[in-house]
Amino acid sequence: MKTNLCTILVLKSLFSMVVVLVAIGYWDHPVLAQEAQPNVFRLQLSEMDGIEHGKAAVVKGDAGTEAQRFLVEGVTMETPVTVLLRGLVPEDEIDLALTKYAWDQPLKTGTAQGEPLAMKFRTEGEFQLSVTAEEDGLPYRLLVWVGDPVEPAMAPVVVHADEYDGVPVEAATGEGGGLVLWVIAALLGAAVLLLAVLVLRRKS
């Protein structure tokens, strides 16, 4: 009789422990869960009609108070990047934030209203974009263009004596040559921006 009683008590104790463990696992799991991460859309860049060099991605969306976040990966310091934001209604104000790691620490910010907002930069690895507006339902188009790798041309450090023409280094690399390079770079940047605007207008 005593043996049966002891067995019953042991079974009750085990049952109580199982109930407690199940209760802990059931109730504590949501408490221990990490805060939900914001929705982030990874943009897949690809070749696009109308853009001869590089790859691009176009996003069609409606901006609002809740940020729409996008991630672009696989860029290098040799690949120029242009991000273009345009609202479909000229009066709408749509904000764009460029971040690298933390979403709440923007490196660049701007607002598109009437005219497209353009950001040009270079970075390594990845970058993040957030699109917001003070009211919901504002249509927009977002273009992300990553150009082909461009490696700067390096002049030889050593020049052979029979190849030296006697021109001083200051004259060969003076303000005139630098100005020409800057003019060429500005023209190329303007051409890329014009192509991006044309692509966005055609996509809309």
Side-chain angles (χ1 to χ4, degrees):
M1 187 71 176
K2 291 183 178 180
T3 303
N4 293 336
L5 181 60
C6 293
T7 303
I8 293 174
L9 292 175
V10 169
L11 291 175
K12 285 185 177 181
S13 299
L14 291 175
F15 180 77
S16 301
M17 292 176 62
V18 170
V19 171
V20 171
L21 290 174
V22 170
I24 292 176
Y26 180 82
W27 293 108
D28 285 358
H29 181 70
V31 176
L32 297 177
Q34 297 294 326
E35 182 180 356
Q37 296 297 320
N39 292 329
V40 180
F41 302 94
R42 182 178 284 101
L43 297 183
Q44 300 293 336
L45 304 178
S46 60
E47 296 180 356
M48 187 174 297
D49 294 338
I51 298 180
E52 297 182 0
H53 304 286
K55 298 181 179 181
V58 175
V59 177
K60 299 180 180 180
D62 294 328
T65 54
E66 182 178 355
Q68 298 181 9
R69 295 182 168 94
F70 306 96
L71 173 67
V72 179
E73 299 174 309
V75 297
T76 65
M77 293 300 296
E78 288 76 27
T79 54
V81 179
T82 298
V83 177
L84 199 67
L85 175 66
R86 181 174 71 91
L88 299 188
V89 180
E91 293 78 14
D92 291 344
E93 296 184 13
I94 303 176
D95 300 321
L96 177 65
L98 169 67
T99 58
K100 182 67 176 177
Y101 301 111
W103 291 101
D104 58 350
Q105 297 179 5
L107 302 177
K108 282 186 176 182
T109 58
T111 301
Q113 183 182 20
E115 296 295 331
L117 169 67
M119 292 185 180
K120 300 180 181 180
F121 56 92
R122 292 175 184 262
T123 187
E124 186 74 25
E126 64 183 35
F127 63 90
Q128 304 163 157
L129 300 169
S130 296
V131 179
T132 56
E134 293 185 356
E135 56 182 295
D136 295 331
L138 304 186
Y140 71 90
R141 298 294 182 266
L142 178 69
L143 171 68
V144 178
W145 174 80
V146 177
D148 296 329
V150 178
E151 297 182 359
M154 302 297 293
V157 178
V158 179
V159 179
H160 198 271
D162 56 6
E163 298 178 356
Y164 179 65
D165 56 5
V167 179
V169 176
E170 292 78 3
T173 60
E175 296 182 357
L179 180 59
V180 173
L181 293 178
W182 279 109
V183 171
I184 294 175
L187 291 176
L188 288 175
V192 170
L193 183 59
L194 178 60
L195 279 174
V197 172
L198 293 176
V199 170
L200 279 181
R201 291 186 182 278
R202 187 173 61 183
K203 291 292 181 181
S204 59

